[in-house]
C-alpha cells in the first residue's frame, strides 16, 4: 500500500507537469532537437485547450482529446512489457492485450484529471546529448513553478519508424516504469494472478470514468 501511494503521488505530479507546461517562444522552439520538439508540441496542444474552461468541464471530451494527443507520442507496446517485467513473458496473449488496454486507460484518465486541475508551470530544456544516428535519447528538462524548487523531469524516448516516442519518464531520478512495475508485482503476489489484477484495474477504470462522466 505504501508503494502504491508513493507511485500515485509521483504519477500525479508527472502528469500535472507534462500537461500544463507553458509554451516557450518560437525562437527557442526552433533550436530544439526532434525529441524535444515532441515534448514541446504535446505541451502546447494541451495548454491551448486548458484555456477553454467550458471544455475542461466535460471530462468525456477531455479524455478523448488527451487520448488523441498522448497516444500517438507514447509507445504502450513497449511500456506494457517493461511495467509487467517477468510476468509479461508468462502472460497469455489475451492477458497481455487486456493489460495493455487497461493500463493505457489508466494513463489517459490520470492525464485527463491532471489536465483539469493544474496550471502555472513552465519548462526549461537542458542540453541534449544526441547525434544524427541516435535511436534512443533522454530528454532532460526542468519544470518550474513560482516559489518552488525546479523539478527534474527526464523523458526516455526512442526512434520508432521515423517517429520519436516516450517509453519512460524519470522525476528527480525516479523511474515511473519501475514504480508501476513494483506496484503491479505486489498486486499480483497479493491477488494470486495477473488476470485478477487486470480485472481489478478494469473495474477501477470503469468506476473512475463513470464517476467523472456523471
Amino acid at each position: 500500500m505504501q508503494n502504491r501511494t508513493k507511485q500515485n503521488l509521483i504519477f500525479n505530479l508527472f502528469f500535472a507537469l507534462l500537461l500544463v507546461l507553458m509554451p516557450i517562444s518560437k525562437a527557442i522552439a526552433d533550436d530544439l532537437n526532434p525529441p524535444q520538439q515532441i515534448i514541446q508540441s504535446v505541451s502546447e496542444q494541451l495548454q491551448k485547450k486548458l484555456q477553454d474552461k467550458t471544455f475542461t468541464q466535460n471530462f468525456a471530451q477531455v479524455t478523448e482529446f488527451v487520448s488523441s494527443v498522448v497516444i500517438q507520442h507514447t509507445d504502450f507496446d513497449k511500456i506494457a512489457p517493461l511495467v509487467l517485467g517477468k510476468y509479461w513473458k508468462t502472460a497469455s496473449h489475451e492477458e497481455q492485450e487486456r493489460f495493455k488496454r487497461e493500463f493505457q486507460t489508466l494513463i489517459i484518465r490520470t492525464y485527463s484529471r491532471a489536465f483539469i486541475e493544474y496550471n502555472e508551470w513552465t519548462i526549461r530544456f537542458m542540453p541534449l546529448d544526441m547525434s544524427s544516428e541516435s535511436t534512443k535519447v533522454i530528454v532532460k528538462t526542468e519544470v518550474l513553478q513560482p516559489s518552488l524548487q525546479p523539478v527534474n523531469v527526464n523523458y526516455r524516448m526512442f526512434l520508432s519508424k521515423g517517429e520519436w516516442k516516450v517509453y519512460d519518464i524519470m522525476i528527480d531520478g525516479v523511474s515511473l516504469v519501475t514504480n508501476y512495475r513494483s506496484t503491479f508485482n505486489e498486486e499480483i503476489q497479493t491477488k494470486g494472478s495477473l488476470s485478477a489484477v487486470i480485472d481489478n484495474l478494469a473495474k477501477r477504470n470503469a468506476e473512475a470514468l463513470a464517476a467523472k462522466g456523471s
Side-chain angles (χ1 to χ4, degrees), residues 51-82:
Q51 306 307 314
D52 184 351
K53 299 305 179 183
T54 59
F55 176 82
T56 58
Q57 291 174 4
N58 187 322
F59 191 74
Q61 281 189 350
V62 170
T63 301
E64 182 178 355
F65 175 75
V66 169
S67 178
S68 69
V69 174
V70 171
I71 288 178
Q72 62 181 312
H73 300 301
T74 308
D75 194 324
F76 286 97
D77 288 332
K78 188 176 183 67
I79 294 174
L82 291 175

Side-chain angles (χ1 to χ4, degrees), residues 32-172:
L32 298 178
N33 288 293
Q36 295 171 314
Q37 291 173 0
I38 294 296
I39 302 301
Q40 183 57 31
S41 174
V42 171
S43 302
E44 288 181 343
Q45 290 179 66
L46 296 170
Q47 181 64 25
K48 288 178 181 178
K49 281 291 186 181
L50 185 63
Q51 306 307 314
D52 184 351
K53 299 305 179 183
T54 59
F55 176 82
T56 58
Q57 291 174 4
N58 187 322
F59 191 74
Q61 281 189 350
V62 170
T63 301
E64 182 178 355
F65 175 75
V66 169
S67 178
S68 69
V69 174
V70 171
I71 288 178
Q72 62 181 312
H73 300 301
T74 308
D75 194 324
F76 286 97
D77 288 332
K78 188 176 183 67
I79 294 174
L82 291 175
V83 168
L84 276 189
K86 64 182 180 180
Y87 293 104
W88 181 264
K89 293 182 179 180
T90 58
S92 66
H93 177 71
E94 180 184 4
E95 288 174 330
Q96 290 176 348
E97 290 301 310
R98 286 184 64 216
F99 177 79
K100 183 171 63 176
R101 181 173 64 251
E102 295 300 336
F103 182 71
Q104 179 175 299
T105 299
L106 170 64
I107 296 301
I108 295 302
R109 67 179 176 83
T110 307
Y111 259 141
S112 300
R113 184 172 64 249
F115 177 79
I116 294 172
E117 294 176 356
Y118 294 88
N119 56 28
E120 296 184 4
W121 295 86
T122 59
I123 185 171
R124 178 164 60 204
F125 285 97
M126 302 293 102
L128 181 62
D129 182 16
M130 68 174 292
S131 67
S132 58
E133 290 80 27
S134 296
T135 58
K136 285 188 176 182
V137 297
I138 299 178
V139 175
K140 298 181 179 180
T141 74
E142 285 186 346
V143 177
L144 314 173
Q145 188 184 34
S147 302
L148 294 178
Q149 290 293 319
V151 178
N152 295 318
V153 181
N154 300 335
Y155 305 84
R156 292 186 184 273
M157 303 181 70
F158 77 110
L159 191 61
S160 174
K161 299 178 181 179
E163 297 182 356
W164 287 98
K165 297 195 174 185
V166 175
Y167 68 93
D168 192 16
I169 305 96
M170 296 172 290
I171 299 176
D172 282 341

